[in-house]
Amino acid sequence: STQSTWVCALLAVRAMGETDLNPVSGIGKLTQIVFALIAPHNVAANLVAGAIAEAGAQQAGDMLQDLKTGHLVGASPRAQFWGQLIGSAVSIVVTVGCYQLYSYAYTLYQPPLTVPSAEVWLEMARILNGGSLATNVAPFCITFGILGGLITVLEKLFPKLHIILPSPMAAAIGMYLTPNWTIPRLVGGILEWIWRTRRPELHEKYCTVVASGFVLGEGLFSLVVAAVKAAQL
């Protein structure tokens, strides 16, 4: 599993660079396929192996994004390293605490916390360990896998085609994510484009701050709502 993490990390970094999104859940499925051959009929081992690869891909994408941002603003690499180290240690406590809060306030795997990604992981492990795919799924997977590879090769051989050839990674992410994630992303992109074209000076100054406010606001207030619900106020 550790060895396959290198491959997953490379895929994650490429996806992050092209789309600004790290599809670690889909990438981790590659390790599940490998471990279905190494340890057949072992669902637990399959899930753990996939989780390890997913964690490595997630960290690779985060480090790329954070270090690139730090480089652009002229931050000290040493300070960034210590920041990452301290943040990783603190996140252990914060993550476990948040999970306990949400699990107490809500019933997991029920609306609004259905955790669809966990269900996908489990179904993938079951399929690879004795389950069966729906009709014609395998031919579609093989066909579009070859098509995605050919598009990537064409981009390298003929760089000018990059303008008209779609990114297989970006298209896959749009298909893989549910509409409640992709539609707001599309709306946000359109609003950002309108802002950037009509008021470029304000866009350059405030766009990142506004976007960060949306992200932090939703995240922090979801914790407040969970705490209120847990306290039955």
Side-chain angles (χ1 to χ4, degrees):
S1 178
T2 305
Q3 299 300 322
S4 63
T5 302
W6 291 92
V7 178
C8 294
L10 290 174
L11 294 174
V13 167
R14 177 181 174 85
M16 178 70 77
E18 287 189 357
T19 67
D20 198 34
L21 188 66
N22 195 346
V24 292
S25 183
I27 292 174
K29 303 298 186 293
L30 296 175
T31 304
Q32 284 189 281
I33 295 174
V34 173
F35 262 77
L37 302 174
I38 298 176
H41 307 295
N42 192 333
V43 175
N46 192 280
L47 288 172
V48 171
I52 293 174
E54 180 187 25
Q58 179 73 58
Q59 293 304 312
D62 288 349
M63 290 289 286
L64 171 70
Q65 196 172 42
D66 296 345
L67 293 177
K68 179 64 176 179
T69 303
H71 173 73
L72 292 174
V73 299
S76 166
R78 181 183 296 273
Q80 291 183 77
F81 171 79
W82 282 107
Q84 292 282 350
L85 189 62
I86 295 171
S88 297
V90 173
S91 68
I92 297 173
V93 179
V94 175
T95 302
V96 173
C98 290
Y99 177 82
Q100 293 295 331
L101 175 62
Y102 279 112
S103 62
Y104 183 79
Y106 301 97
T107 301
L108 297 182
Y109 308 109
Q110 298 293 331
L113 298 181
T114 55
V115 197
S117 180
E119 187 67 23
V120 172
W121 278 88
L122 181 58
E123 289 301 323
M124 182 71 172
R126 287 171 175 169
I127 289 174
L128 294 174
N129 290 275
S132 59
L133 291 170
T135 305
N136 295 326
V137 169
F140 268 87
C141 290
I142 296 172
T143 301
F144 283 95
I146 295 173
L147 179 61
L150 288 176
I151 292 176
T152 304
V153 172
L154 287 175
E155 287 181 347
K156 297 300 180 182
L157 295 178
F158 307 99
K160 293 184 178 180
L161 294 179
H162 179 74
I163 300 176
I164 61 174
L165 289 176
S167 168
M169 188 74 73
I173 291 174
M175 297 169 65
Y176 181 80
L177 296 179
T178 53
N180 62 311
W181 288 101
T182 54
I183 293 177
R185 191 178 177 90
L186 172 63
V187 173
I190 293 174
L191 293 175
E192 186 274 338
W193 177 77
I194 295 174
W195 189 6
R196 175 164 41 87
T197 53
R198 296 197 174 188
R199 302 297 296 274
E201 67 286 348
L202 292 179
H203 173 274
E204 183 178 359
K205 190 174 183 180
Y206 295 113
C207 182
T208 302
V209 177
V210 172
S212 299
F214 278 122
V215 174
L216 294 175
E218 181 179 358
L220 291 176
F221 274 89
S222 68
L223 290 174
V224 174
V225 172
V228 171
K229 185 176 179 61
Q232 298 181 347
L233 298 177

